[in-house]
Amino acid sequence: KMVLQMITSSPEKWETALRNMQQAGYDVGEEVAYEQMKRFVDEGKYTVEVNREWHIKTLLDSFNTILPWLARRQWSLLIANDNAGKFVCSDRPVALVWTVEMPPFWGPGFGMRNTDVTIPLSNCLALLGRFEGEPQIVNVDRKSVAAVNSRTAAFSERFIFSAEPDFAWMKKR
């Protein structure tokens, strides 16, 4: 939907998109007027569906791109102390965040320095990957568990899973 919004952001972009599709060999059928397509996209009363094979191909392509960068990170094992609370998990457990202040329009990337990747493994274990420093095994306190949980929750789409009815997390001020 975001791509359609960009393509219909101006009549020139719409014409360019139509030309590019035709040059790529796609049959665009009858040319749809820009105003008609813009109205259709802005109303948002449509769904975009792609087949399972496309999702799998995209996942594998992404994996092959990201894996070398993940392998270059220094991975530490975080172990929650007895009083630290439990790590949570989610439907999207991998969190990628900046470790330094950056402009809000610059998102972190898996190959960028000054970023953390966190992945909960169980309710008492999590991985932390960064380019800086050395790999370690670290016993972490409640504040560290809360930081990882906050990242995990922020990246979730629909579900957060917890071994406890309540869990530690941080609220930005």
Side-chain angles (χ1 to χ4, degrees), residues 35-170:
E35 293 79 17
Q36 182 182 1
M37 188 62 171
K38 176 84 171 133
R39 188 171 39 256
F40 173 78
V41 171
D42 287 347
E43 288 175 357
K45 296 179 181 174
Y46 61 93
T47 58
V48 178
E49 294 181 14
V50 293
N51 66 32
R52 179 180 51 198
E53 289 75 16
W54 182 86
H55 276 291
I56 292 170
K57 181 185 180 319
T58 302
L59 176 67
L60 293 175
D61 290 346
S62 298
F63 183 73
N64 290 333
T65 301
I66 293 170
L67 184 61
W69 293 108
L70 292 176
R72 289 185 182 114
R73 288 180 178 267
Q74 303 297 316
W75 290 95
S76 294
L77 180 65
L78 308 180
I79 304 171
N81 289 332
D82 291 339
N83 299 326
K86 305 287 186 194
F87 290 113
V88 299
C89 196
S90 76
D91 53 344
R92 290 185 60 202
V94 178
L96 172 65
V97 298
W98 289 111
T99 58
V100 296
E101 285 294 318
M102 295 295 286
F105 53 85
W106 281 357
F110 284 101
M112 299 177 103
R113 296 204 172 278
N114 299 310
T115 58
D116 279 355
V117 175
T118 55
I119 308 167
L121 300 176
S122 72
N123 61 13
C124 60
L125 300 173
L127 287 176
L128 169 65
R130 20 175 89 141
F131 290 110
E132 301 78 22
E134 296 294 322
Q136 303 174 29
I137 297 175
V138 184
N139 289 310
V140 295
D141 59 12
R142 189 166 185 83
K143 184 176 179 181
S144 297
V145 170
V148 172
N149 286 348
S150 297
R151 293 173 183 182
T152 302
F155 279 80
S156 70
E157 283 191 7
R158 297 177 57 203
F159 302 105
I160 299 171
F161 308 98
S162 175
E164 300 176 327
D166 192 14
F167 58 88
W169 59 283
M170 294 181 156

